[in-house]
Structure formats: structure tokens, C-alpha cells
Amino acid sequence: MLKKFYFVSVLFIGFCITCLSQNNQGFTFHKPHKKRYKIGFVNYNNLIIIKVKLNNRPMNFLVDTGVDKTVLFGLEGDEESIKENSTKILIRGVSGKKKTYAYKNENNLLEIGKLKDTSHDVYAIFDKDFNISDKIGYQVQGILGYNFFRDLIVKINYKRDFIKIYNPENFSKSLRCYESIDLKLYKQKPYLKAQLKQKGNVRSFMFLLDTGSGDAIWVQPQPDTRIPEKSFDDILGYGFADIIRGKRTKADGFNLGSYQLKSPKIAYPDTLAYSGLEFTSKSGVIGSEIMRRFHWVLDYSNKRVYFKKNNDFSDQFNYDMSGLILKYDGYQIITSYVNVFSRAKAQTDNSAGYNKIADEPDFYIEKRPILRVGAVRPNSSAFEAGFVEGDEIVSINSRASHKYDLQEIMKIFSSEEGRIINFEIRRGGRLYEKSLRLKSRFLE
């Protein structure tokens, strides 16, 4: 059973796959006595993106402890051949309302550096609504979860953007400087026990440890939950095909082992928005906004997790102050000319009495991503400024939108209260200028 959250400053929630368990042999080292490999990753909004080869084709995969199957999407040209050789499986979005199909394809070759799995099962999804690339702002073709962690010991270093993979049979690294606690695997996903302090009360939760989440903490509100007055209704983010709403606030503190984090962000999702998820009164989600503050070692086989704080431990928990939720929506084709005159040779045409150009200029064709407003948070600065869903963002602070990535934009939107951000937008074929002032959503 696969049920999934995605947060990138906002939240992305996945889907549910029900099928028989996988029996693939797992990843192996290319040399039996090799102790470890080091794999660099792209740290994009605290999400871990690695390069892989699937059946010798290079791809980008999101590494996600919150997923129990390997998922493919955004494929072009392979749909018919994959469907012919696959098992068709019904999947649902987090709300339970959105439905589509995944196609299980067995015995694939998946390589990560010198790690290799020769019998890897993947689930291909062709429905564009279930493609997360446009929402996270980075081209990924797949998600890699439980099968990557199952038989390996994995160290994650968010500060230096690398993963170290250890062969359990030859593991000899000292972990004395790390704290450790039990790791519970439930439906092939890792959970650990931690404490949340809110309104003077301390409660223990079993938290899903989720590298695929860019947010901090999620918990389900209960009838006796006292949400602080300094909170606000918010769009927490997208599902693959759903919008998730809820309340956002700050907790008093979060305790993991002997470590205590002050005033972390916390979200309480609307129970009607995630009927497809299994939430209980004592479970929640820890995302990478918490995880990036630690070094981690995950040992699924022995059901232990090791952690120690890094230099980001005391960073403030920032959040979006614009109210805009942005996404990419296809591309526009731009033709640009260069060297228009540099290679030209002037020739005199005596009969006409003018110079004519002998050579044609060079040109190149460029695909530029189209950035749109996916949603506007209610009662936010963007709402007050008149932004609406579907607006195309042409420029931000006089810089063309295609020259930013979403990570840069999110840093601007969470930078400084009172800062004015200027936009050029396109709506209905016409250009407009708009501006908004970043403001706190919390009542002071």
C-alpha cells in the first residue's frame, strides 16, 4: 500500500497503490567486499534528487523514504509498449476522488552509480495530473523509496549534499557520536518516536520520517487539540491531483532524543482533504525542514536510526509570506538570433546602389518553462493584490521568470516581512503589472 505526502515549502501528496508485495532481489555492490559508495545529490528545496539509469536510460529520481514502491512518470514515447507488458493497477489521489492507473513493470535494471538491481519493479503513471515535476520545479522522472533503503545502511548528509551507502556485511563505521532510537517499519515506511510541545503540553507521536517532504511537521488535529490563536487557514499544497487545505501555525518545541528545536512550523491538514491517507491521533510526519538540521544514518535491517545535529540546527523556521503557490505549465518556444552582423560581408550592387548582406545570421531555438499561479492562499498578500489561479508570471523584480528556479523564488517569498515584490503577469493574452508586500500570516 502506497500513500504519500510531498512538501516543497508547500505540500505535495501522492497516491495509493494496492498490489501484491514485491520480490525483487534488491541492490547489490559491484564488488562483494566493497564497504561503501558515495553518491552526490542535488539538494533542491531540501529534496534529495539523484541520477540513476533505468534500463540504461539516464534519469533523475527523487529519493523518498515515504514511498514503498518505485514510481515513474512524465514518460514520452513509451506508453504503448509499457502498457502491453505491464499489470494495470487502479490508484487514487489523497482525497480519494482523483483516480488513474499505474502500470507495474517487472525485472528492470536500475543502476545508481555502481549499485545495481537487476530485477527492479517499477510503476509507470502516464496521467499528467500525477506528474510532480511541474510542482516541485525540477525535472524528475521517478521516485525511489523502500527498495533503496531495505538492504543497505544509508547515511544522509544534507550539508554536503551526499549519501553514503554501506554494505551491511562489511559495516564498521563508529556511530558513538550519534544518538540512536528505534525505527519502526510500517507498510515499508520508517517511523520514529518524538515529542511535540504545544500550548504547554508535551505529547509523543510516531512520526513518519519523510525525505520526500519539504515541510517541517504535520499532525492530524483531534477534537481536544488546542490550535494556537496565532494560526491561519492555508493551502498547504498540492496532491498529485488534489489541493490540500488546513491550518498552519508554530509549535512551542519539538524534541528528538535529547535535541530540542524551538518554534518549528506545524500544519494541521483538513480531514476532508486527505480521506485517502491513514492518519491516527498519535501519528504525524517529519519532513526535510526538520531532517536537514541533522546528519542521519538509516539502518532498516536492524530497525535503528542514528542522528546528530549539524550547523543548520538553530536556523529559523521560515515560511512563505506571499500567498502564491506556483507551478510550471509546459514550455514556450523562443527563437533567438545571434551574430546578426559579425559574419556579414558587404557587397556593392552597382546597379541598385546599395550594400547587400551575403550571410544569414545564426539563431537558436530555446524551450522556456511557463510559470503559472497554481493557487492563491486566502486572505494573503497575493489575494489582496488580485492574483488569480492561471496567471502567467512573466517576470519577478524585472527579471524574466524563466531565469529563476522555484527554489530561488521561494527564498524571495520567505525573505523579509515588508519587502515589496514586483511582477509582470499575463492574463487573457494581456500584460499587467502587479506588486505585493510580504507579510506575516501569524497574528502578533
Side-chain angles (χ1 to χ4, degrees), residues 181 192-196 203-207 254-257 286:
I181 55 178
L192 53 76
K193 190 174 184 178
Q195 291 74 44
L196 189 64
R203 293 183 62 186
S204 292
F205 291 84
M206 291 300 295
F207 286 100
F254 175 79
N255 300 336
L256 179 62
I286 297 173

Side-chain angles (χ1 to χ4, degrees), residues 17-19 82-91 100-105 123-124 126:
I17 295 178
T18 304
C19 59
I82 290 175
K83 288 181 177 180
E84 288 177 3
N85 298 288
S86 302
T87 303
K88 186 178 179 180
I89 300 165
L90 178 67
I91 64 175
T100 190
Y101 290 95
Y103 296 84
K104 180 183 178 182
N105 194 281
Y123 294 77
F126 297 97

Side-chain angles (χ1 to χ4, degrees), residues 294 310 365:
F294 296 88
N310 61 31
I365 297 175

